[in-house]
Amino acid sequence: MSTIIAGRFDQQAGVEEARAELLRAGFSEEQVTSFYVNPPGQHDLTPVGGDEIESPGAEHSRHGLAQGGVAGGVVGAALGTAGIPVLGPVGPLVGAMVGAHIGDLAGSLSEMDDDGGSGNTAGLPYRRSGMLLAILADDPDAEDRAIRLLRALHAQDIERAQGTIANGDWEDFNPLQPPSLVDMH
């Protein structure tokens, strides 16, 4: 494994300009790679798509689902009982079913984790989507040059990682691994 310096760009044109500058600065074509990073939750890492088999926070929403369904069913049955003159003997049953569904929805929504949609419940920095340009930096001087160039070219979220770039591909890139952002001072 080697040190990799990477920066995110919003546009392909920015990546192409940065790649050209890195090659002019002495980095070889084999040391530089670029690719698009999907938004959190859309990395297609499981057989059914997405990043995880179950969405983060689903455990909490199931808990709220059960509580909301029971409470909604009781309230709905009570209201359905009042509707016996209109609905007949099925009033409490219809009321309980409708109330349970409304309670399920309210309960699950109230228990969901508020993580800004990132799936990141640990409060760690997460990798934002966009074009990622990564440079294999095999020594401290190469690291410094890559960081300076990415800063000058307005790369965002410049990070340092350990990994392998071979044949123009960051082979062990993990989109779910929180980035180790480089101090921008």
Side-chain angles (χ1 to χ4, degrees):
M1 286 197 162
S2 301
T3 299
I4 296 174
I5 302 298
R8 183 178 57 79
F9 292 85
D10 291 329
Q11 302 289 321
Q12 179 70 32
V15 169
E16 292 168 5
E17 178 186 349
R19 177 184 285 275
E21 287 297 321
L22 288 162
L23 296 177
R24 278 195 284 279
F27 290 96
S28 71
E29 190 70 40
E30 293 79 34
Q31 289 176 285
V32 181
T33 186
S34 63
F35 51 94
Y36 184 76
V37 178
N38 288 331
Q42 298 179 13
H43 296 115
D44 199 25
L45 299 177
T46 67
V48 296
D51 297 343
E52 300 177 31
I53 296 296
E54 187 173 274
S55 296
E59 176 77 24
H60 299 294
S61 66
R62 276 195 309 273
H63 177 69
L65 184 73
Q67 287 180 334
V70 170
V74 170
V75 170
L79 292 174
T81 301
I84 287 177
V86 176
L87 297 173
V90 295
L93 180 62
V94 170
M97 289 173 41
V98 170
H101 286 297
I102 292 171
D104 282 348
L105 178 62
S108 63
L109 290 175
S110 71
E111 291 289 324
M112 286 178 64
D113 287 337
D114 183 17
D115 63 4
S118 71
N120 179 356
T121 58
L124 298 172
Y126 65 95
R127 186 169 277 107
R128 294 172 47 196
S129 65
M131 293 297 303
L132 197 67
L133 179 69
I135 305 106
L136 179 66
D138 26 11
D139 62 59
D141 179 56
E143 282 185 51
D144 290 341
R145 285 186 303 133
I147 292 169
R148 279 196 316 273
L149 279 166
L150 288 174
R151 282 182 183 152
L153 295 164
H154 308 290
Q156 301 170 29
D157 302 331
I158 299 173
E159 64 178 279
R160 180 180 285 111
Q162 293 296 309
T164 304
I165 293 179
N167 301 319
D169 189 29
W170 185 347
E171 293 179 343
D172 46 3
F173 175 74
N174 179 355
L176 300 181
Q177 178 69 36
S180 177
L181 299 177
V182 172
D183 185 19
M184 295 302 287
H185 296 90

